[in-house]
């Protein structure tokens, strides 16, 4: 870094996603690493964006988001949670869930405040806490089923603990927190008067008999919870970066004070198109889930056929696969080998642990065309021939 760079950037390296994507491009590998679709978003949604542009909806939106979008978010939230929310006072539209997370942490965390983070974690959480002057405290989910030890959660709490970051459905593991687990976490938050920042961007991608539950809807949790989500995953338009935060008015006011000085407002025509997407409702969501469940089953079979142990994910569009039976004990080395010698890219989850912990697994993404996964299957057959 430049010698005049801010001290707060110390320890912030290049994102693992950038590194893996660069390697994949260098070796022309099939990219099952970074979590974005390689197929087009819905035509009706793209048409809506074009219509909004042609209708000259191209100037600043209100900083809090288009009223029509906030209303659509409120309707969607109530349809799924059976809880009403005030679109004017309790919803803020942001430039993706990543900005919503940053604005929330900057709004609520003071220097010296401790924040509990479950690991493996989405990689923006610790830097956000650190930039706010907070102190991350880590609690490990235990593989292979990514179980929570609530005794460890309680042991991590100190008088300085202010918040817990929750992610369900969970990236990278695919875990969907059960209502029982959420109730236990809620009891701890209430007992110790903690905030909960809940990242729920994959809430529409939950498979089999698993059910997504927003912790904000549990008894006595609304007033202490910020729920963060996004339209990018639901509508396969991750580059649009239309996210949002749902929170009680007192927390929303704080989030909005930060948001106005980060991006002020997100792209107006894309917000207008997101309204059309959300209004598509349950028929679209059922179709989306069927689409992704087929890709999930396809990739799980491919990985198992390649000799990897896989526990099918409960949610998200990621699969964690165990590489230890192939003789590997370092996930980053395996991923570099996989790209350079096999021609398939995956993500090493050690990047999602504060101490580089080796879980013996790597993360693959199935937000891909069937032919992309099939092409990867042909290459992955080579794994069994490694001496």
């Amino acid at each position: 870094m430049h010698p005049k760079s801010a001290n707060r950037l110390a320890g912030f390296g290049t994102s693992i996603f950038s590194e893996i994507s660069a390697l994949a491009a260098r070796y022309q590998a099939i990219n099952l690493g970074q979590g974005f679709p390689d197929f087009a978003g819905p035509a009706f949604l793209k048409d809506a964006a074009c219509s909004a542009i042609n209708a000259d909806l191209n100037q600043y939106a209100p900083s809090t988001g288009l009223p029509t979008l906030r209303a659509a978010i409120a309707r969607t939230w109530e349809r799924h949670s059976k809880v009403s929310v005030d679109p004017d006072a309790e919803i803020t539209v942001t430039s993706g869930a990543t900005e919503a997370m940053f604005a929330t942490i900057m709004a609520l965390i003071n220097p010296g405040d401790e924040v509990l983070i479950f690991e493996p974690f989405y990689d923006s959480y610790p830097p956000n806490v650190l930039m706010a002057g907070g102190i991350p405290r880590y609690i490990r989910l235990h593989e292979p089923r990514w179980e929570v030890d609530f005794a460890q959660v309680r042991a991590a709490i100190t008088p300085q603990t202010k918040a817990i970051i929750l992610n369900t459905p969970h990236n990278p593991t695919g875990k969907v927190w059960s209502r029982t687990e959420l109730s236990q976490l809620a009891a701890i938050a209430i007992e110790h008067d903690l905030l909960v920042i809940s990242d729920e961007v994959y809430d529409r991608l939950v498979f089999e008999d698993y059910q997504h539950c927003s912790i904000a809807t549990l008894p006595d949790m609304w007033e202490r919870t910020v729920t963060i989500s996004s339209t990018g995953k639901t509508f396969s338009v991750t580059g649009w970066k239309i996210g949002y935060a749902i929170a009680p008015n007192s927390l929303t006011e704080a989030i909005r004070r930060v948001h106005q000085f980060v991006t002020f407002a997100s792209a107006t025509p894309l917000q207008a198109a997101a309204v059309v997407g959300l209004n598509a409702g349950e028929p679209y969501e059922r179709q989306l889930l069927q689409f992704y469940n087929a890709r999930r089953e396809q990739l799980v079979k491919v990985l198992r056929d390649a000799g990897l142990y896989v526990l099918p994910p409960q949610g998200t569009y990621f699969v964690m696969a165990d590489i230890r039976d192939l003789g590997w004990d370092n996930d980053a080395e395996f991923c570099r080998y996989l790209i350079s010698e096999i021609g398939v890219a995956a993500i090493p989850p050690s990047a999602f642990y504060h101490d580089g912990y080796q879980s013996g697994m790597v993360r693959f993404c199935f937000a891909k065309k069937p032919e992309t996964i099939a092409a990867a299957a042909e290459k992955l057959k080579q794994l069994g021939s490694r001496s």
Side-chain angles (χ1 to χ4, degrees):
M1 290 197 308
H2 192 280
K4 292 189 179 295
S5 296
N7 293 337
R8 71 176 63 90
L9 299 180
F12 297 171
T14 301
S15 164
I16 188 63
F17 301 112
S18 298
E19 178 185 346
I20 292 297
S21 290
L23 277 175
R26 176 182 171 188
Y27 288 98
Q28 297 185 320
I30 297 171
N31 196 340
L32 301 185
Q34 195 163 1
F36 57 80
D38 70 345
F39 48 83
F44 79 89
L45 194 71
K46 294 185 291 183
D47 289 344
C50 292
S51 295
I53 292 171
N54 291 330
D56 290 325
L57 298 179
N58 299 311
Q59 307 307 325
Y60 294 124
S63 180
T64 57
L66 289 178
T68 51
L69 178 54
R70 285 184 276 114
I73 292 167
R75 288 192 298 271
T76 302
W77 170 268
E78 184 169 4
R79 177 164 57 85
H80 285 286
S81 69
K82 312 304 180 189
V83 175
S84 62
V85 60
D86 182 347
D88 294 324
E90 298 175 329
I91 296 175
T92 306
V93 176
T94 59
S95 294
T98 302
E99 193 240 319
M101 179 63 68
F102 178 80
T104 297
I105 290 173
M106 294 300 290
L108 304 180
I109 302 304
N110 289 311
D113 286 344
E114 296 181 359
V115 180
L116 304 188
I117 299 175
F118 294 96
E119 56 180 1
F121 46 69
Y122 182 65
D123 67 345
S124 77
Y125 301 162
N128 285 184
V129 172
L130 291 167
M131 281 191 276
I135 302 169
R137 299 296 186 200
Y138 301 98
I139 302 162
R140 188 166 296 166
L141 300 175
H142 298 285
E143 67 274 5
R145 296 187 178 276
W146 311 106
E147 294 168 328
V148 188
D149 184 338
F150 286 98
Q152 290 183 338
V153 177
R154 289 184 176 278
I157 295 172
T158 75
Q160 286 71 49
T161 307
K162 187 172 186 180
I164 302 170
I165 297 178
L166 171 68
N167 179 205
T168 182
H170 184 261
N171 174 12
T173 69
K175 171 188 175 68
V176 174
W177 283 60
S178 69
R179 181 176 288 269
T180 299
E181 289 173 319
L182 293 174
S183 295
Q184 289 180 269
L185 190 67
I188 292 172
I190 293 166
E191 177 185 348
H192 294 277
D193 193 22
L194 304 178
L195 299 169
V196 174
I197 304 168
S198 188
D199 180 349
E200 302 179 12
V201 298
Y202 296 99
D203 59 350
R204 302 278 64 82
L205 296 177
V206 178
F207 306 106
E208 297 178 1
D209 294 327
Y210 296 99
Q211 298 291 325
H212 172 70
C213 173
S214 292
I215 195 170
T217 65
L218 298 184
D220 300 318
M221 286 302 296
W222 169 255
E223 290 300 323
R224 66 179 66 252
T225 303
V226 178
T227 304
I228 291 170
S229 196
S230 170
T231 59
K233 306 298 190 299
T234 302
F235 297 104
S236 303
V237 286
T238 59
W240 285 19
K241 301 295 287 182
I242 302 297
Y244 52 90
I246 300 174
N249 179 251
S250 57
L251 298 180
T252 292
E253 285 184 356
I255 293 166
R256 288 176 173 180
R257 289 181 186 182
V258 175
H259 165 69
Q260 68 184 337
F261 296 119
V262 177
T263 58
F264 182 76
S266 300
T268 303
L270 302 185
Q271 290 192 52
V275 175
V276 176
L278 290 172
N279 287 344
E282 289 184 11
Y284 172 81
E285 291 172 3
R286 286 196 299 271
Q287 182 182 26
L288 176 80
L289 198 59
Q290 292 171 354
F291 175 90
Y292 270 116
N293 193 48
R295 307 297 171 270
R296 168 181 175 262
E297 292 177 352
Q298 182 185 10
L299 183 57
V300 166
K301 183 179 186 304
V302 164
L303 296 174
R304 286 175 171 169
D305 289 347
L308 297 165
Y309 171 78
V310 176
L311 191 66
Q314 300 166 358
T316 75
Y317 45 51
F318 301 113
V319 176
M320 294 283 273
D322 197 315
I323 61 175
R324 286 170 289 193
D325 286 347
L326 297 178
W328 292 89
D329 57 10
N330 184 292
D331 61 2
E333 290 179 3
F334 174 81
C335 287
R336 293 186 187 101
Y337 165 83
L338 192 68
I339 293 171
S340 62
E341 302 299 325
I342 303 298
V344 176
I347 295 290
S350 57
F352 308 141
Y353 290 88
H354 77 285
D355 57 0
Y357 171 73
Q358 291 289 334
S359 66
M361 299 186 183
V362 296
R363 193 198 79 175
F364 293 87
C365 175
F366 57 87
K368 308 296 175 184
K369 300 173 186 174
E371 52 267 36
T372 301
I373 299 174
E378 290 301 311
K379 291 180 176 293
L380 288 169
K381 289 177 181 178
Q382 303 173 61
L383 281 175
S385 64
R386 178 179 180 267
S387 58

